Amino acid sequence: MTMQVRPRRSLAHLGAVVVLSGFLITLAGCWNALELDERALVVGVGLDHSRLPGQVDLSLQILKPAAAVSGGRGRGGGGGSEEKAVWVVTASGRTPFEAVRNASRLTGRKLFWGHIEAIIVHETLAREGITRLLDPFIRDHESRQLAWLLIAKGIRAKEILTAGAEMERIPAEAIRDQLKSYGATSTIMPMDIHRFMTDLAAPGKSPVAPGIELASAGEKAEPKGGSEGESKLVKVTGTAVFRGDRLVGWLDEKESRGLLWVLNQVKSGSLVVRCPADERERVGLEIMRAKSKLGLQIQRGRPVVTVEVTEVGNIADQTGRTNLTNVAYFRSLERRKAAVIRDEVQAALAKAQKRLRSDIFGFGLAMSRKFPTEWRNMELNWHDQFFPDLQVRVEVHATLRDTGTTAGPALIR
Amino acid sequence: MPERDRISTWQFFWVIVSIIITLSTFRLPHLILGAAKQDYWLAILIAIVMDISVGACLFLLGRRHPGRTLFEYAQELLGGLFGRLAGVAYVLLFLQMAVLLARSLSESLFLVMPETPGSVFVITIVFLAGLAVNKGLEVIGRLAELIGVILFFLASGVPLLASSRADFGNLLPVLQTSPAVIVKAGLLMTSFFGICVVMGVLMAYQTQPEMAFKVKAAAVVMSGFLMLASYGVALAIFGGQAFSAIIHVSFGVARLISIRGFVERVEAMVMALWVAGGFLAIAVLYYCAALGVAQILKRNSYQPVIPPLGVAMVALSLWQFKNRVTVDRFVLQVYLWYALAIEAGLTGILLVVSLLKASGKQTA
């Protein structure tokens, strides 16, 4: 088919161009386009018990775009009080969705859920089951499935949302940053909504979520110039353990890292052991690399799990004066830190198996993959019967590699 | 003959690929695959094999009746009345699939743009597809060549970008579903893949009909394995239980993509897939249906059929179903079995009759 350009054709082409240009102008926008300044961006969500029976309180941390930009991160000159970049609204409802819509009435603007950083649920509310609270955030197409889930420990979620932050103008982003840098100590388990729901649905695995509380007195930020000591800091700490979708208890930081060793989530962190040269002194060891592997067997009809942790690290600091750079001390330090790691893992195992009876390690999930037939008989009673009595062998291979850039402690003449 | 345009081998390849990719990004196949959980891949494999066999039947038929479409040789083989009825059965199959696609498209876009009336999407897409059909096969072939490549990259991009979240241990345990469930899932998947009986129409106008089978098989294998891989990633991300509970697999996966916290919310990729693929697949089916009606009625041109068919498609996509649940019930309980009976059953009958007639001639 050859195209012949004739005058009449080119006129038709001109017509087409005009019509198409018309489309360009009329069709480029969405049907229900809303400009950014007509929306309210939700960055954090908090869920608490309401004073009204059978209702939940929903608090929304809403970004104020103008304040977030114009205030800037630097010091506002001349002691003028810095405007907060967010606003917290609270409304209640019989279901979270009703609360959301009630909150919308207060904001006046259409809420936008695409930027949620964190969803914080109060501890006692989580004890009554959490899926009913998260349901609207999972169903809605706008809300981010990658938002972090946190459990407010001993404090209302609303208070967490109203607390300030120093490094970020948006407090919810400060929470996100704390979660993202969890690897510095590897004592919290960051958990997004999607992963939480996946763990919840998986057979033989219980979900966990990090806790959040207000930092204790010693960690409090210096109040900003002139104002009252209002500046409170939030701190992500500990691990909430669920059974089904109900919170049943907490792991402290040591137990949390024990969990992370097993889940192969330890990135870095510090291990403190007693100095082999002088038991009164301590040596700080940095975790450089860590890895873990699960082994499963069935012995005499009962499942046996082997957790193999491999860790490589350096000496980070020491309180004593002895130069530890020799093979014997290195070996001793390796043994000591292996013991510390094993102790952390055992602590987490003991708490989960005996006290909370909840398989947060996913041993059951691993069973279901490796021994699907045997699993069928165990599935129903896994958390109650098999998991608490499960024999778990912990093998730790800890290697000490180097001492940093100096051979020993700083020299004093 | 109402069609003078030709379709190249390469274009034919992309037509088949686009149809399967488009189907796999809509939620319908998940109705079946979700139930099969970790054994979903078996269902897809069964469908690939079955569909290639259907392709072989169509290829043999096409070679025996060169230059003729499904509708034309059905009338030759089964005689006027039965041949036309068979043609009608195929037309209904194409139309219903087009309606389901239009419905899926508006349903999927409604998910993201709840304030836009669904009819806007349906009317626009059917109208545009009608324009393409009106211009003939060549336009559709060229569209497929263009859009198909884009579809392929989008459809492989989403699982690739999401794979960092995947825990491939979730693909285990395999072979825990009962064989009956797997076979049923495989058959139902076959009827989805089987919509590629459009080959029986397009082959008549192919520039190199002798390549039709190879190309069709290659296209089905490629797009089938792409589907297998993308559902695999989805299963690895969600785990067996959550995988069967989710509705929009491709959308659900795309929502989770986050590249260093910087590139996020790439659902637009999936929406582009829906719109581009939905448009192309609807155009192909619309074309086949229109041509079919013309050939059953022995008209010289299929263009007059286009507007009434378009109106019927819009009306059905808007009013045939009340809500998502009724769509699901219809697809699972009626459509797929009907489709399977036509795609595999009727096509098989045509081939048998054709072979019998030939042997009859030889002995006579």
Side-chain angles (χ1 to χ4, degrees):
Chain A
M1 268 198 205
T2 53
M3 280 280 202
Q4 288 170 330
V5 182
R6 274 173 284 166
R8 224 185 301 151
R9 274 276 171 89
S10 56
L11 203 67
H13 283 178
L14 192 68
V17 167
V18 171
V19 171
L20 289 177
S21 313
F23 284 160
L24 208 61
I25 294 163
T26 51
L27 296 182
C30 295
W31 188 277
N32 50 335
L34 260 185
E35 295 302 327
L36 198 58
D37 57 3
E38 296 165 31
R39 313 201 75 159
L41 268 56
V42 180
V43 287
V45 176
L47 290 154
D48 289 300
H49 270 299
S50 171
R51 282 210 194 105
L52 307 163
Q55 300 212 1
V56 285
D57 270 0
L58 173 98
S59 305
L60 301 176
Q61 194 175 74
I62 293 169
L63 184 67
K64 293 193 282 188
V69 177
S70 69
R73 273 155 209 247
R75 296 277 143 77
S81 68
E82 257 180 272
E83 199 193 348
K84 271 188 146 184
V86 293
W87 173 46
V88 178
V89 196
T90 306
S92 47
R94 283 164 297 177
T95 69
F97 179 68
E98 191 178 61
V100 164
R101 286 300 159 98
N102 288 341
S104 301
R105 283 169 52 198
L106 301 177
T107 60
R109 292 186 185 184
K110 189 164 167 33
L111 299 173
F112 182 66
W113 301 91
H115 290 285
I116 307 181
E117 291 291 352
I119 297 182
I120 301 161
V121 180
H122 187 240
E123 187 180 5
T124 55
L125 204 53
R127 283 186 192 272
E128 293 166 13
I130 199 170
T131 42
R132 69 197 168 96
L133 303 170
L134 300 180
D135 202 24
F137 303 101
I138 296 157
R139 282 179 199 263
D140 188 66
H141 74 277
E142 230 175 54
S143 71
R144 259 172 105 242
Q145 300 301 290
L146 301 177
W148 301 107
L149 176 67
L150 298 116
I151 307 298
K153 198 174 174 184
I155 183 168
R156 283 173 72 81
K158 182 182 178 176
E159 284 180 60
I160 300 282
L161 288 178
T162 44
E166 288 293 309
M167 293 296 283
E168 298 284 343
R169 286 189 60 85
I170 304 165
E173 287 186 358
I175 296 173
R176 172 200 66 194
D177 291 347
Q178 284 196 24
L179 287 164
K180 282 198 167 168
S181 57
Y182 84 95
T185 55
S186 299
T187 50
I188 45 177
M189 177 80 193
M191 184 60 62
D192 59 48
I193 299 289
H194 167 255
R195 197 148 280 164
F196 185 87
M197 297 314 288
T198 309
D199 283 350
L200 190 59
K205 184 165 189 186
S206 294
V208 293
I212 187 164
E213 55 185 38
L214 287 187
S216 55
E219 295 165 317
K220 214 169 259 176
E222 287 299 309
K224 279 175 194 160
S227 65
E228 303 292 308
E230 274 301 305
S231 188
K232 289 178 256 171
L233 271 192
V234 299
K235 183 186 178 193
V236 181
T237 178
T239 304
V241 174
F242 287 78
R243 211 179 124 131
D245 78 328
R246 285 157 191 261
L247 190 152
V248 288
W250 291 88
L251 300 186
D252 61 20
E253 299 216 330
K254 173 184 171 188
E255 293 157 347
S256 296
R257 188 153 74 193
L259 169 69
L260 266 71
W261 287 116
V262 180
L263 294 178
N264 195 16
Q265 294 290 331
V266 172
K267 274 192 179 168
S268 182
S270 86
L271 292 162
V272 179
V273 298
R274 291 195 183 277
C275 179
D278 180 350
E279 292 293 330
R280 285 166 307 174
E281 303 290 351
R282 291 175 196 276
V283 181
L285 303 165
E286 183 185 1
I287 305 165
M288 307 294 287
R289 269 204 306 274
K291 225 176 155 168
S292 77
K293 240 174 34 190
L294 282 191
L296 283 166
Q297 283 118 33
I298 292 203
Q299 288 174 0
R300 282 184 231 105
R302 296 197 74 82
V304 178
V305 176
T306 317
V307 179
E308 196 184 333
V309 179
T310 315
E311 187 267 353
V312 180
N314 286 350
I315 297 180
D317 56 8
Q318 69 180 91
T319 54
R321 309 254 356 111
T322 326
N323 187 342
L324 297 169
T325 322
N326 73 47
V327 175
Y329 282 144
F330 261 47
R331 268 204 200 126
S332 167
L333 283 168
E334 283 172 348
R335 270 199 306 277
R336 283 158 192 251
K337 78 171 173 176
V340 171
I341 295 171
R342 183 174 298 111
D343 185 45
E344 289 179 351
V345 174
Q346 299 286 16
L349 284 169
K351 184 74 146 294
Q353 286 189 295
K354 302 299 175 196
R355 290 265 304 277
L356 305 174
R357 297 185 163 222
S358 176
D359 185 0
I360 48 180
F361 309 96
F363 293 144
L365 182 64
M367 280 293 298
S368 76
R369 289 171 181 172
K370 196 171 178 188
F371 301 107
T373 331
E374 291 83 347
W375 171 248
R376 249 177 243 160
N377 300 325
M378 297 182 221
E379 187 166 4
L380 278 183
N381 299 321
W382 179 256
H383 292 287
D384 285 315
Q385 189 189 331
F386 291 94
F387 175 68
D389 299 327
L390 186 69
Q391 189 189 337
V392 184
R393 296 192 193 119
V394 184
E395 288 171 20
V396 182
H397 311 285
T399 312
L400 193 58
R401 202 179 52 183
D402 211 334
T403 57
T405 54
T406 52
L411 296 171
I412 306 170
R413 271 175 67 86
Chain B
M1 199 198 313
E3 182 58 82
R4 249 171 264 111
D5 287 355
R6 289 286 173 270
I7 182 170
S8 77
T9 307
W10 188 234
Q11 290 168 345
F12 177 69
F13 175 79
W14 284 112
V15 167
I16 304 290
V17 170
S18 310
I19 291 181
I20 297 184
I21 287 181
T22 304
L23 263 175
S24 69
T25 52
F26 282 124
R27 64 177 184 84
L28 291 179
H30 182 66
L31 289 177
I32 302 155
L33 297 178
K37 288 184 189 159
Q38 277 91 343
D39 295 320
Y40 80 100
W41 53 275
L42 269 172
I44 296 184
L45 284 186
I46 293 175
I48 291 176
V49 172
M50 293 276 287
D51 192 47
I52 289 176
S53 332
V54 173
C57 294
L58 288 167
F59 179 68
L60 290 176
L61 281 164
R63 294 304 279 163
R64 293 168 156 271
H65 308 271
R68 303 198 158 232
T69 66
L70 192 63
F71 308 109
E72 291 169 317
Y73 57 67
Q75 292 177 49
E76 274 174 36
L77 290 171
L78 303 178
L81 178 65
F82 287 106
R84 281 176 188 190
L85 283 179
V88 170
Y90 282 109
V91 168
L92 286 180
L93 175 74
F94 296 147
L95 269 186
Q96 184 66 72
M97 190 71 213
V99 166
L100 282 172
L101 281 172
R103 176 88 195 185
S104 304
L105 184 74
S106 74
E107 204 177 59
S108 309
L109 292 177
F110 184 71
L111 186 79
V112 199
M113 300 178 238
E115 280 160 40
T116 312
S119 53
V120 173
F121 303 123
V122 172
I123 293 171
T124 324
I125 215 93
V126 173
F127 178 69
L128 287 176
L131 288 184
V133 176
N134 190 47
K135 286 287 177 190
L137 186 56
E138 183 167 340
V139 169
I140 294 176
R142 284 172 188 245
L143 268 175
E145 219 172 339
L146 262 171
I147 294 177
V149 182
I150 300 173
L151 292 183
F152 179 75
F153 280 109
L154 286 177
S156 36
V158 170
L160 271 181
L161 291 178
S163 59
S164 60
R165 275 187 84 84
D167 168 10
F168 288 98
N170 279 330
L171 299 179
L172 294 173
V174 292
L175 301 181
Q176 294 302 303
T177 323
S178 76
V181 171
I182 294 175
V183 169
K184 188 179 164 197
L187 286 177
L188 292 176
M189 276 314 288
T190 306
S191 49
F192 272 126
F193 277 57
I195 201 60
C196 299
V197 286
V198 292
M199 172 189 176
V201 180
L202 301 181
M203 191 182 156
Y205 307 127
Q206 242 186 303
T207 49
Q208 296 163 292
E210 68 278 4
M211 295 285 286
F213 176 67
K214 275 189 207 163
V215 173
K216 154 100 195 227
V220 170
V221 168
M222 186 177 98
S223 41
F225 275 89
L226 179 60
M227 185 177 184
L228 200 120
S230 48
Y231 272 80
V233 170
L235 178 59
I237 289 176
F238 289 101
Q241 304 295 329
F243 171 73
S244 27
I246 193 171
I247 291 177
H248 286 267
V249 172
S250 52
F251 189 74
V253 169
R255 274 172 107 182
L256 296 172
I257 292 175
S258 169
I259 301 158
R260 313 212 127 256
F262 181 65
V263 181
E264 266 188 26
R265 303 205 70 99
V266 294
E267 293 100 302
M269 278 172 79
V270 177
M271 287 161 66
L273 254 173
W274 285 340
V275 175
F279 163 62
L280 181 64
I282 289 171
V284 172
L285 294 166
Y286 196 167
Y287 169 81
C288 290
L291 188 75
V293 172
Q295 290 183 338
I296 292 166
L297 300 174
K298 300 219 192 287
R299 294 297 158 99
N300 285 327
S301 155
Y302 62 83
Q303 270 82 0
V305 190
I306 296 172
L309 280 185
V311 171
M313 277 162 57
V314 169
L316 283 174
S317 1
L318 295 181
W319 296 307
Q320 186 182 4
F321 308 106
K322 198 171 150 209
N323 49 34
R324 183 169 68 72
V325 188
T326 47
V327 177
D328 292 1
R329 190 183 59 188
F330 174 75
V331 168
L332 283 177
Q333 294 183 0
V334 182
Y335 176 73
L336 288 175
W337 300 108
Y338 172 73
L340 192 64
I342 304 299
E343 289 155 2
L346 190 54
T347 312
I349 292 173
L350 287 180
L351 181 65
V352 170
V353 173
S354 175
L355 291 172
L356 286 178
K357 278 205 170 173
S359 63
K361 259 181 213 159
Q362 271 173 4
T363 49

